[in-house]
Amino acid sequence: MEPIKFIHLTDTHMNAPQTEGHFAPFKLADKVKQVFRHVQQYRHNPSFVIITGDLSHEGNTEDYEYIRSVVDEGAALLGVPVYVVLGNHDHRAPFREGFLHEEPSEQAYYYSHNIQGLRLIGLNSQVAGQHHGMIDEEQLQWLRDELSVPAEKGTIVALHHPLLEINGMPSEHVLSNREALGDVLQGTDVVGIVAGHVHMHNVGTYKGICSVAATGTAFGGALADEEHYSMVDVCSYNVVSVLSEGVTVQTVVMPGLQEEYVRFPVALLAAQH
Ligand SMILES: [Fe+2]
Ligand SMILES: [Fe+2]
């Protein structure tokens, strides 16, 4: 089998230049543009890019219009499609209007694409107004039907909330119905699950499937002490290769100062990422 490679980005938390967002002063869209340039300069030659949610920080229609322009610019630079899924900071109606240029609606955003024989399934784990994530029954049924026919090079599932527990993080960060999703994925052609949300790198297996959470482009997070969470100026992306013998995940950390942006009580974590 001819290997296939893609870039996994997550948690871009972008604001349009004109919006007054919580993270607007940090110019997080510039980090995403820098990542696209880095991918090109280092000749990773991916077949596609996937961004696993928290595309925006506040999620206004203007933000999504701007995010669409950043994504289109990146897609043109690399000459490959850029796919996205929604995170807890995203909002469906403004996303549909500003990013997809559709009528605004609260309809869940999920899909399946075949790219050179590899199937990419994007799921909507975001629950309106909530920090936690889950995959609703309608999507699970759609997913069962979709996976009933295998793809030539297997399937990658992309969603915002991770399936694995993260050391030191409260378990509410994990997809709340991961068992139900895992039961649908187990025994199918799914070779990898890519996620974000936790702003920390975490790689393992869930029900035997390679499951990854990436730090993302906006900031890295860590528990600074028993009571405080620290957000650090980190920016990274993953190069994921799907080979006949399995999946490899290579983390690329962008050069930077890695200074602390902010430190706040752990109890406020849900409001920040
Ligand atoms: Fe998130
Ligand atoms: Fe996030």
Side-chain angles (χ1 to χ4, degrees):
M1 178 182 108
E2 211 31 48
I4 183 163
K5 197 163 37 171
F6 67 91
I7 301 296
H8 172 208
L9 311 185
T10 195
D11 292 82
T12 53
H13 289 261
M14 288 184 266
N15 286 100
Q18 71 275 22
T19 58
E20 297 280 327
H22 189 74
F23 285 147
F26 301 117
K27 301 194 182 313
L28 297 176
D30 289 351
K31 288 179 140 184
V32 179
K33 293 178 184 182
Q34 199 187 351
V35 163
F36 282 126
R37 287 196 295 272
H38 199 268
V39 170
Q40 188 209 27
Q41 281 164 8
Y42 282 77
R43 301 177 207 283
H44 291 305
N45 298 321
S47 294
F48 64 93
V49 177
I50 173 75
I51 310 178
T52 51
D54 283 355
L55 308 171
S56 70
H57 195 67
E58 274 79 22
N60 306 313
T61 305
E62 307 96 286
D63 291 330
Y64 288 114
E65 283 165 357
Y66 181 66
I67 291 168
R68 183 58 193 255
S69 73
V70 172
V71 162
D72 284 351
E73 211 176 279
L77 184 71
L78 298 176
V80 296
V82 177
Y83 302 101
V84 302
V85 299
L86 301 183
N88 54 298
H89 275 280
D90 293 306
H91 298 285
R92 296 179 191 183
F95 167 78
R96 287 196 174 271
E97 189 176 15
F99 190 93
L100 298 179
H101 306 135
E102 288 179 0
E103 284 299 306
S105 88
E106 290 299 322
Q107 200 189 329
Y109 179 64
Y110 55 97
Y111 53 81
S112 172
H113 293 294
N114 189 303
I115 308 121
Q116 297 161 25
L118 179 73
R119 176 166 49 192
L120 171 69
I121 290 183
L123 296 177
N124 192 145
S125 65
Q126 161 261 12
V127 180
Q130 301 290 316
H131 181 248
H132 82 277
M134 70 169 293
I135 305 296
D136 60 32
E137 189 48 49
E138 193 179 311
Q139 282 183 79
L140 290 176
Q141 189 50 51
W142 170 83
L143 189 58
R144 274 185 209 103
D145 294 344
E146 182 66 28
L147 293 173
S148 64
V149 181
E152 185 199 340
K153 294 182 179 175
T155 297
I156 293 288
V157 172
L159 75 170
H160 184 62
H161 295 79
L163 272 63
L164 297 173
E165 294 281 346
I166 314 295
N167 186 35
M169 292 288 282
S171 56
E172 68 191 39
H173 290 85
V174 170
L175 188 77
S176 64
N177 63 340
R178 65 173 178 169
E179 276 287 329
L181 177 61
D183 287 346
V184 174
L185 303 183
Q186 200 168 29
T188 67
D189 71 342
V190 174
V191 292
I193 301 161
V194 293
H197 187 51
V198 284
H199 294 254
M200 293 180 192
H201 282 298
N202 183 267
V203 180
T205 54
Y206 185 72
K207 296 192 187 252
I209 303 167
C210 175
S211 184
V212 178
T215 297
T217 63
F219 59 85
L223 292 174
D225 57 42
E226 298 251 311
E227 290 165 8
H228 293 89
Y229 183 83
S230 164
M231 286 182 175
V232 180
D233 180 6
V234 173
C235 178
S236 76
Y237 63 91
N238 284 348
V239 183
V240 184
S241 301
V242 179
L243 316 149
S244 48
E245 62 270 29
V247 175
T248 70
V249 181
Q250 178 191 343
T251 296
V252 179
V253 179
M254 301 286 288
L257 296 174
Q258 309 212 355
E259 285 173 346
E260 190 174 73
Y261 276 143
V262 66
R263 185 178 290 212
F264 55 85
V266 174
L268 295 180
L269 202 51
Q272 300 297 328
H273 78 112

